Amino acid sequence: MTSPQGRFAEGAARLNGRRLEGTEALGKHLFYRWEGGLTLHVHLGLFGKFKTYSTDPRPPTPGTRLAWQAETGTLYLAGPTACELMSVPEEQSIRDRIGPDPLDRRADPDQFFQALGRRSTPVGAVLLDQKAVAGIGNVYRAELLFLRGIAPHRPSRSLDRDEVMALWGETVRQLRRGERRGRIVTVEPAELGAARERELPRSERLYVYGRAGRPCRRCATPIVAEEMGGRPISYCPSCQR
DNA sequence: TACATATGATCAT
DNA sequence: TGATCCTATGTAA
């Protein structure tokens, strides 16, 4: 393991020759557990990208933070928000400040309900808050609120238990679907049309994200875009109440 | 060559 | 709320 870009040089040297014992994800946080109680914490953030090669790796770009050659292949990591070594207790302190992960079957949706109930913040902002729920992200927050017919401005505590549980269920369903496909697709299969999904532009696989000004796929009302929680959000003012 | 852009999160104020 | 960090890529100049 090396760090062509240099900023993870020390960490890479410490991991060299060590055995990887397991990996885990919590929301968008990735934990690589190495022998000796060392965790490599990776978070891709907005710009981070992995590249992998099973054979014939290309040379790493100069910005590559982490270059890892194993017997089974080569992995490069560039642009992450986090790439750091930590102890198990430090890993735990990250876990402690993150809400339930919809992709974790042991996750407790009631924690999500409690988090929403505590706040008058718009539900659209709370969905990005990692303390309330892990790993939804800006695309899914817009899509999930559309799918459940919820206006993003509604104070999160105005959602009743049934609405929250339905929102959680939709979140689980959509994130699993995305995980299975390796990409975000929220439009129901029946609405995708005859075209092959892979060939569709991204905005054709989504209901509202990135579709500001275009007609709602369900009611033709123009999709509205604004900022919420510091990020752009789109919604249908007619379908979402 | 320069600039715009991107699916995120943290910290200071 | 705003500033800041992080990199590759595509388009414009």
Side-chain angles (χ1 to χ4, degrees):
Chain A
M1 195 178 285
T2 59
S3 179
Q5 175 241 36
R7 292 181 41 192
F8 190 62
E10 259 184 57
R14 278 182 79 188
L15 291 180
N16 256 334
R18 227 179 263 250
R19 176 178 301 276
L20 179 67
E21 292 179 330
T23 62
E24 241 182 285
L26 175 57
K28 291 175 173 165
H29 294 264
L30 311 176
F31 300 106
Y32 297 73
R33 301 250 184 73
W34 298 79
E35 62 184 336
L38 225 42
T39 290
L40 170 63
H41 171 229
V42 171
H43 192 298
L44 293 178
L46 210 44
F47 311 122
K49 271 190 175 51
F50 287 118
K51 278 188 216 165
T52 59
Y53 302 86
S54 47
T55 57
D56 303 317
R58 303 179 66 84
T61 56
T64 301
R65 184 82 59 90
L66 174 68
W68 178 5
Q69 342 268 344
E71 285 156 32
T72 45
T74 298
L75 177 148
Y76 298 142
L77 169 62
T81 283
C83 174
E84 56 190 349
L85 284 184
M86 54 180 55
S87 64
V88 172
E90 286 169 320
E91 173 187 335
Q92 190 57 44
S93 80
I94 292 177
R95 293 175 173 277
D96 289 344
R97 58 172 201 254
I98 294 182
D101 179 346
L103 285 175
D104 182 348
R105 286 169 196 278
R106 297 160 304 183
D108 177 8
D110 207 55
Q111 286 182 20
F112 179 53
F113 178 63
Q114 301 293 332
L116 288 168
R118 278 195 290 274
R119 316 175 46 174
S120 55
T121 317
V123 59
V126 179
L127 290 187
L128 292 183
D129 181 346
Q130 303 302 301
K131 293 191 290 296
V133 53
I136 288 186
N138 201 28
V139 176
Y140 278 119
R141 85 154 159 172
E143 296 296 302
L144 293 167
L145 290 172
F146 176 85
L147 282 160
R148 294 309 314 156
I150 298 169
H153 308 87
R154 284 184 56 192
S156 73
R157 65 176 170 224
S158 77
L159 276 68
D160 66 33
R161 192 178 175 85
D162 287 351
E163 285 180 300
V164 172
M165 290 304 158
L167 177 58
W168 175 267
E170 190 66 44
T171 304
V172 170
R173 177 170 157 257
Q174 293 296 339
L175 263 56
R176 283 188 188 155
R177 187 180 178 200
E179 184 182 41
R180 208 165 52 235
R181 296 183 179 239
R183 75 196 311 175
I184 301 177
V185 183
T186 58
V187 172
E188 297 296 336
E191 294 175 72
L192 273 173
R196 293 171 63 82
E197 175 206 300
R198 317 174 54 92
E199 291 151 19
L200 293 171
R202 181 182 66 179
S203 64
E204 294 307 313
R205 300 188 294 258
L206 305 173
Y207 287 105
V208 289
Y209 182 87
R211 294 174 63 90
R214 299 175 62 183
C216 172
R217 305 175 70 113
R218 294 220 169 130
C219 78
T221 302
I223 299 300
V224 172
E226 53 190 74
E227 200 169 291
M228 179 175 291
R231 318 276 305 276
I233 186 168
S234 308
Y235 62 96
C236 172
S238 168
C239 293
Q240 297 176 246
R241 299 294 187 175

